[in-house]
Amino acid sequence: MPVLGSSASASPQTLPVASPFDELEQTLPASVPPKLETHGHSSSNSTALSEDTWPLNIPPPELLHHLVETVFNCVPLATRLIHRATFMTNLAKPPSSPDFPHVNLLHAMSALASLYTPIVTLNSVQVNAKLHEGGTAAISAGFIKRTSFSSTVRYQPKKVEDIEADREYDFASIHAKWCNMGIGPAVQRGDSLIQQVQACIICCWLFHSRGKDVFASGWSKVAIDVLSSLGLSVSPGMEPLSRIPTQYLFSIPLSTTPIESELRRNIFWIAYSMERIFNASNVFPLHIMDEDCSQLMPSRLIDFNAGKFVPIKGRQSLFSHDMLLIHPRLSTDSFTLCIKATTLLGKVKVFNGRFRCRFTDGGDRQGRFPVGGPSRSSKDAVMTINPTDTDEFKALDSLIEAFTASIPREFNDPVGIYSGLKLDATLYMAHMIPHMAMIILHDPHANVFSLQDPSAARLLSATRAILDLIYKVCGTTFDLLYLDHWSSTPWFMAGVTLIRFLNARTAQGDELEVQKLTEELGAVK
């Protein structure tokens, strides 16, 4: 993993600890909550924090504050997923306050932050040995040590230690497991459901970043299931027809503040985009369908951070005319463009996934079959039309190109080479995703052995457009650790496509092209 650079400092004046079980010795900002009082040395002040009042297994205030700041500073969409000012205000309140962040969200943020900060230096072997001895890690390692703990008393995290004792222990894994154990009961109780969705999304980011996409897929599905029951995909005034009053249709009450309204929109669109990027490289169907989403596009980040009310009149939705080609200046930023780019991914994925049902012998264009099913078995069924000859295919191909050309001028330089601005990780994704959509659209039809095949030409052009973005970011001093980690998906697809062309040119004996493709593949690696 790359070393932390000066491009996105996690927190000022921090130093790595010498040992995972030493006391945390560092200088922290003045806004950090007070230190915990050790057991038996509690302050006479009734509001003072102690080991008995601080949530079990949540990192102590000093470390937790650093981890939370790390997430906000290092993760591109963190300030979209969580309103930073509100969260930090609530975090400064005592744990007994109803506004104090939910422990599941704190576990998730602690786990994700450990990818970016050198302060968390837990050694798996040492932690395993410590837990097998019957103790817990010291406060400085991010775990609460109960001096009055009895071996006969069982509490929830202890069960994880018992069941998973043979598994690798590290800071992120343990906090992710504790989050996992708390999500189910919290959802069943209806406890802070918005924060449960936020925790699920953060855990999805964590496991994708660690290369555990099976776990990431599970967290994504949980987030989508919960947010669907909360009605986050529905815009006010666009609720389903029902005799039940609007305020009772979903699991949470209507929002009452601009920040709350925009936060819900942000959470939905993050989950929406995440699902489309995550499923781009597989054939699994989507759970969130465009036809079911009436939610409005989110406001700009600058307005969201300021808590500014942005009128919903004129805001775009997926049903707006030319939504992918028209970008209102007062409601467009890098996140909005990224959402629109992922919409293209969804359209291509739906086209590929449903084409055989719609055009296989026996079905009509809507995928309907006569009574008794298709005229042939699925084994013998044949497509009655070439996918590349359909109007839908041609429209998608043109739409992807048109969207790329329609990106406003001020958002044309995600790396900041020409504008001199800081690299925008979200805008970087917004520029790569349309090329990924083009690859997915043409990949099943490209004849890479033919120099005249139009799909092969499109495929290679889109791949090299992604390569151009790779060259640009690698030509800067920006630490790739601070890019959106979903950037690996278009990079991977570009690499796979280059391998296809490399194998074809090798078989044809085209040495010059083989050398060029080999060099391009090396850039992806």
Side-chain angles (χ1 to χ4, degrees):
M1 183 179 292
V3 178
L4 287 173
S6 59
S7 53
S9 178
S11 180
Q13 301 177 0
T14 58
L15 294 173
V17 293
S19 164
F21 304 116
D22 288 342
E23 289 297 327
L24 188 64
E25 297 177 356
Q26 58 173 333
T27 303
L28 292 168
S31 59
V32 175
K35 291 186 177 181
L36 293 178
E37 299 287 346
T38 57
H39 184 79
H41 296 81
S42 298
S43 169
S44 59
N45 185 355
S46 60
T47 62
L49 296 178
S50 70
E51 293 179 1
D52 293 325
T53 60
W54 190 251
L56 183 65
N57 292 312
I58 293 299
E62 301 93 335
L63 180 57
L64 179 62
H65 188 280
H66 167 74
L67 295 173
V68 168
E69 290 285 2
T70 297
V71 171
F72 284 129
N73 291 336
C74 299
V75 182
L77 289 179
T79 51
R80 280 285 188 177
L81 182 66
I82 302 170
H83 189 258
R84 184 171 187 167
T86 302
F87 185 88
M88 297 307 296
T89 299
N90 292 338
L91 189 62
K93 297 178 180 180
S96 57
S97 169
D99 295 328
F100 190 78
H102 198 281
V103 291
N104 291 337
L105 181 55
L106 295 178
H107 278 310
M109 296 182 76
S110 298
L112 183 61
S114 67
L115 301 181
Y116 298 90
T117 175
I119 277 190
V120 179
T121 56
L122 279 177
N123 180 285
S124 301
V125 177
Q126 288 177 294
V127 175
N128 258 325
K130 194 79 174 179
L131 296 175
H132 280 302
E133 292 170 4
T136 59
I139 289 179
S140 62
F143 304 97
I144 298 302
K145 183 177 181 181
R146 304 281 192 183
T147 55
S148 59
F149 174 76
S150 171
S151 59
T152 60
V153 177
R154 298 183 63 84
Y155 59 96
Q156 195 176 53
K158 181 68 175 178
K159 296 177 183 178
V160 179
E161 297 160 10
D162 291 342
I163 297 172
E164 303 288 351
D166 59 334
R167 296 287 298 275
E168 178 182 347
Y169 269 84
D170 60 73
F171 187 89
S173 296
I174 293 176
H175 279 284
K177 289 173 184 175
W178 284 334
C179 178
N180 183 41
M181 293 187 69
I183 287 288
V187 172
Q188 290 177 358
R189 295 191 305 266
D191 183 9
S192 305
L193 294 176
I194 291 291
Q195 294 187 59
Q196 308 310 323
V197 177
Q198 292 170 322
C200 290
I201 291 175
I202 290 175
C203 285
C204 182
W205 289 346
L206 169 70
F207 284 107
H208 173 74
S209 299
R210 305 186 80 179
K212 298 182 178 181
D213 280 353
V214 173
F215 291 95
S217 176
W219 282 107
S220 174
K221 181 62 167 61
V222 174
I224 291 171
D225 287 345
V226 178
L227 69 84
S228 297
S229 69
L230 303 184
L232 300 191
S233 63
V234 179
S235 176
M238 300 291 288
E239 297 86 0
L241 298 177
S242 175
R243 64 179 179 82
I244 301 174
T246 299
Q247 62 268 31
Y248 301 124
L249 285 176
F250 302 110
S251 303
I252 55 175
L254 300 176
S255 57
T256 57
T257 66
I259 291 177
E260 191 176 3
S261 298
E262 294 300 336
L263 179 64
R264 294 182 182 187
R265 290 190 183 98
N266 289 345
I267 292 173
F268 167 74
W269 288 116
I270 288 174
Y272 172 95
S273 303
M274 183 174 68
E275 185 195 24
R276 277 152 176 73
I277 298 173
F278 184 80
N279 288 293
S281 58
N282 59 49
V283 296
F284 306 147
L286 300 173
H287 294 95
I288 303 177
M289 302 307 302
D290 288 355
E291 293 79 6
D292 301 321
C293 303
S294 61
Q295 187 57 272
L296 300 176
M297 288 288 116
S299 63
R300 297 176 300 176
L301 181 60
I302 188 173
D303 295 327
F304 175 61
N305 286 340
K308 180 180 178 181
F309 171 72
V310 180
I312 62 174
K313 184 178 180 180
R315 301 269 285 273
Q316 292 179 309
S317 72
L318 294 178
F319 300 101
S320 299
H321 176 67
D322 282 343
M323 184 270 294
L324 293 173
L325 304 178
I326 299 175
H327 314 292
R329 185 173 183 179
L330 296 180
S331 59
T332 296
D333 66 1
S334 56
F335 182 50
T336 310
L337 293 173
C338 188
I339 293 170
K340 293 181 178 183
T342 58
T343 300
L344 289 172
L345 273 182
K347 291 180 180 296
V348 171
K349 189 171 181 63
V350 169
F351 174 81
N352 287 346
R354 296 179 179 177
F355 186 86
R356 291 184 186 276
C357 295
R358 297 174 59 196
F359 291 97
T360 297
D361 185 21
D364 63 12
R365 292 175 66 84
Q366 280 68 46
R368 295 189 294 261
F369 292 99
V371 177
S375 60
R376 301 178 181 221
S377 67
S378 58
K379 179 180 178 181
D380 299 325
V382 294
M383 289 189 294
T384 57
I385 189 172
N386 186 333
T388 59
D389 294 334
T390 63
D391 293 338
E392 290 89 343
F393 182 93
K394 296 175 182 177
L396 282 173
D397 182 83
S398 299
L399 185 60
I400 294 171
E401 274 202 327
F403 171 77
T404 303
S406 72
I407 295 177
R409 181 180 302 176
E410 58 267 34
F411 299 104
N412 272 336
D413 185 18
V415 182
I417 292 178
Y418 307 109
S419 63
L421 301 176
K422 180 181 177 181
L423 187 146
D424 187 332
T426 305
L427 186 60
Y428 186 77
M429 283 294 296
H431 277 259
M432 282 200 296
I433 290 173
H435 303 304
M436 182 167 63
M438 187 70 80
I439 290 175
I440 297 172
L441 181 65
H442 286 275
D443 183 76
H445 320 293
N447 178 7
V448 295
F449 289 90
S450 172
L451 299 177
Q452 285 75 40
D453 183 70
S455 285
R458 288 285 205 194
L459 203 59
L460 189 58
S461 175
T463 299
R464 285 177 169 160
I466 294 176
L467 269 174
D468 184 54
L469 289 167
I470 293 176
Y471 293 145
K472 286 181 179 179
V473 74
C474 290
T476 70
T477 58
F478 189 84
D479 192 332
L480 300 186
L481 177 64
Y482 301 106
L483 285 176
D484 191 316
H485 291 182
W486 293 105
S487 299
S488 61
T489 303
W491 293 348
F492 170 78
M493 298 191 73
V496 170
T497 304
L498 286 173
I499 291 174
R500 285 190 65 189
F501 280 97
L502 179 59
N503 289 339
R505 299 298 174 263
T506 301
Q508 294 172 339
D510 190 340
E511 295 183 2
L512 290 177
E513 193 67 17
V514 166
Q515 182 180 358
K516 181 178 180 180
L517 290 169
T518 302
E519 292 174 354
E520 291 174 332
L521 184 59
V524 177
K525 292 181 178 180

